[in-house]
Amino acid sequence: MGIAELFVLAVGLSMDAFAVSVCKGLSLGKINKKHMFTAGVWFGGFQALMPLIGYFLGNVFADKITRYDHWIAFILLGLIGANMIKEALESKKEGVCPDCADASMSASSMFLLAVATSIDALAVGVTFAFLDVAIVSAVSFIGIITFVCSAAGIKIGSIFGTKYKAKAELFGGMILVLIGLKILLEGVGIF
């Protein structure tokens, strides 16, 4: 996986955290740099940790299913992306931000949100094991991109509100589906 693909993947994965950060920024009202830093650390940290865990889990099974690795990556990324698209379309209809109506930046609140927004990164980490990705640089890159997107999401939320939440999730979902399709096409020798 090249740097451009990794960047696009990192942006796609960070869209859930970005969307929740936008909502947090909206609920907080007046924000400061500490709010932005806190969101960045929680979301970026978990977006880096979860693919690392997934990578180690995937390595346990990688040698047993390498003939099908491109299909597994396609299915996992496709399902994650489709779920993000579905959630984006549903939240667009509702016009609310139920995931983060709470303005708290407490550890318990942020922990739950960080875990919830990084579950998809766990599955991506499993695909990393099949794709022979340099895991330390990959998870670091994902964590940094998510940190920046989450910190920016807090600021954007405090300024614009939830206007871009659904669009960010839709964009992220489409990116993951397209990356999964590219991996499948490469795996079957078409691309």
Side-chain angles (χ1 to χ4, degrees):
M1 181 173 283
I3 190 77
E5 291 172 311
L6 187 56
F7 176 76
V8 171
L9 178 67
V11 169
L13 285 174
S14 71
M15 287 298 107
D16 271 352
F18 172 77
V20 171
S21 294
V22 167
C23 293
K24 275 290 184 191
L26 173 68
S27 65
L28 288 167
K30 185 176 179 179
I31 61 146
N32 57 41
K33 289 180 182 174
K34 182 180 177 188
H35 292 121
M36 295 168 64
F37 181 78
T38 301
V41 167
W42 276 103
F43 293 129
F46 272 83
Q47 286 286 21
L49 177 65
M50 293 299 238
L52 185 62
I53 294 169
Y55 175 81
F56 288 120
L57 291 173
N59 270 333
V60 172
F61 304 106
D63 60 334
K64 296 169 184 59
I65 51 179
T66 51
R67 287 188 351 183
Y68 309 105
D69 60 356
H70 51 281
W71 284 101
I72 293 168
F74 169 70
I75 290 168
L76 287 174
L77 291 174
L79 288 173
I80 294 164
N83 188 49
M84 285 175 71
I85 292 168
K86 179 181 155 254
E87 288 176 5
L89 296 174
E90 287 174 356
S91 70
K92 218 176 191 181
K93 288 179 190 173
E94 296 169 6
V96 295
C97 190
D99 294 338
C100 50
D102 174 17
S104 172
M105 295 291 284
S106 69
S108 60
S109 172
M110 294 305 293
F111 174 79
L112 292 174
L113 290 172
V115 170
T117 58
S118 62
I119 294 297
D120 52 354
L122 180 72
V124 169
V126 172
T127 66
F128 281 171
F130 305 133
L131 300 175
D132 196 30
V133 171
I135 193 64
V136 173
S137 57
V139 298
S140 299
F141 196 68
I142 290 168
I144 291 166
I145 295 293
T146 304
F147 177 93
V148 171
C149 288
S150 300
I154 293 285
K155 182 69 172 173
I156 290 168
S158 73
I159 297 170
F160 297 109
T162 59
K163 184 176 182 180
Y164 300 107
K165 176 188 182 294
K167 290 177 184 171
E169 285 183 325
L170 184 64
F171 178 71
M174 290 187 308
I175 286 173
L176 294 180
V177 169
L178 290 174
I179 290 173
L181 184 60
K182 181 182 181 295
I183 291 169
L184 175 65
L185 294 175
E186 285 174 347
V188 297
I190 294 175
F191 189 59

